[in-house]
Amino acid sequence: MKNITVITFLILIQFGFSQSNTTFFTKADHFFKTYVSNGRIDYKSIKNDPSLLDELLTMAASAKVTTGSPKTYQAFYINAYNLAVIKGIVDKYPVKSPLDIKGFFDKTTYTLAGKKTTLNDLENKLLRKKFPNEARFHFVLVCAGLGCPPIIGAAYKPATLDSQLQRQTVKALNNPNFIRVKGNKVQLSQIFEWYKVDFTREGSEVDYINKFRKEKISTKAKVSYYTYDWSLNRIK
């Protein structure tokens, strides 16, 4: 009887966590739909009323996620990253770039799922390190700069995560402003330079990009990298 009671208690706890996570994803979806348009963020409006953002980060602080449920874990931390970036900008707004804020990526901490983390550690330790074969993260983690692939007006959710990752990766790698092909030369975002290891596990960067391209790039193309645009991705 004692064992049954313990099992029932654990099931109820897990159910509570599941319900809490569902509420987080639902509210995050509403937030992004409200404040994101065409890949840009209405920081001014959020600054005027940060209540929903603050509520979401409070929920994220006490969330329970594990790599045992990888889609929930990944979706949670992708949303948490994008929300934390927005929080970091809003707290100092108006600014022209995230780089104008000292320690934006590597010093400022956020409590997420019970642990304090920086944006860099969230990306590199909680996502990239734990899922080294998932390079599509780079097309959904939005750093507040225009050089990043655009943020979407929706939350990433466990049930739709794979299709969302695929859609955003295809969109980015077919965007002529993001992948700049001219004859036998191709200029790539510095994302491919900074995270080269993620894109070259099974070949070259061009090999990776061609998995998602409608018009393939020549494998003999000369690859270079254009300068990252750190201008704030704000709604003007």
Side-chain angles (χ1 to χ4, degrees):
M1 181 61 73
K2 183 178 180 181
N3 288 339
I4 294 175
T5 301
V6 171
I7 291 171
T8 302
F9 178 69
L10 292 174
I11 290 173
L12 288 173
I13 289 177
Q14 187 60 44
F15 179 75
F17 292 157
S18 176
Q19 289 294 97
S20 177
N21 288 341
T22 298
T23 302
F24 170 78
F25 289 122
T26 300
K27 286 182 176 288
D29 193 60
H30 174 66
F31 175 85
F32 291 119
K33 281 182 168 62
T34 302
Y35 295 111
V36 174
S37 179
N38 296 320
R40 291 177 180 251
I41 299 167
D42 189 354
Y43 294 105
K44 183 178 180 180
S45 292
I46 303 171
K47 179 79 172 184
N48 290 335
D49 182 9
S51 57
L52 181 53
L53 176 61
D54 291 342
E55 180 185 2
L56 282 165
L57 288 172
T58 297
M59 293 178 68
S62 59
K64 302 292 183 182
V65 291
T66 70
T67 54
S69 299
K71 295 304 180 186
T72 298
Y73 179 99
Q74 292 172 23
F76 170 78
Y77 276 115
I78 291 169
N79 290 316
Y81 181 94
N82 291 338
L83 289 167
V85 166
I86 293 171
K87 173 66 173 174
I89 294 294
V90 167
D91 282 351
K92 301 295 184 179
Y93 194 79
V95 293
K96 294 182 178 179
S97 166
L99 297 188
D100 292 340
I101 303 172
K102 187 177 181 179
F104 186 84
F105 292 104
D106 61 352
K107 298 296 182 185
T108 303
T109 61
Y110 302 89
T111 301
L112 303 170
K115 299 178 181 179
K116 283 191 174 182
T117 182
T118 63
L119 290 170
N120 278 353
D121 282 350
L122 191 165
E123 178 178 13
N124 297 317
K125 295 180 179 180
L126 299 179
L127 285 174
R128 290 180 61 234
K129 184 176 181 179
K130 293 185 182 297
F131 303 94
N133 295 317
E134 185 52 275
R136 294 179 299 175
F137 288 145
H138 296 294
F139 307 105
V140 298
L141 298 172
V142 183
C143 66
L146 289 176
C148 232
I151 191 167
I152 63 172
Y156 290 91
K157 297 181 178 180
T160 55
L161 180 62
D162 190 66
S163 63
Q164 289 176 305
L165 286 169
Q166 186 72 8
R167 182 168 61 250
Q168 291 310 111
T169 302
V170 168
K171 185 175 181 179
L173 299 186
N174 285 275
N175 183 340
N177 292 319
F178 191 72
I179 304 295
R180 304 173 182 179
V181 181
K182 187 175 182 180
N184 198 42
K185 296 179 180 179
V186 57
Q187 286 188 312
L188 306 180
S189 164
Q190 283 187 291
I191 289 172
F192 287 90
E193 182 178 19
W194 298 330
Y195 302 102
K196 189 181 183 76
V197 64
D198 293 1
F199 300 107
T200 57
R201 296 185 187 281
E202 298 178 355
S204 69
E205 295 141 301
V206 170
D207 290 331
Y208 180 85
I209 292 167
N210 279 341
K211 292 179 182 180
F212 306 92
R213 291 271 299 184
K214 295 177 182 177
E215 295 184 14
K216 307 301 182 187
I217 300 169
S218 171
T219 54
K220 297 180 180 180
K222 184 177 180 180
V223 174
S224 61
Y225 308 95
Y226 59 86
T227 303
Y228 204 80
D229 185 355
W230 284 105
S231 303
L232 190 65
N233 61 346
R234 65 182 179 90
I235 292 176
K236 296 181 179 180

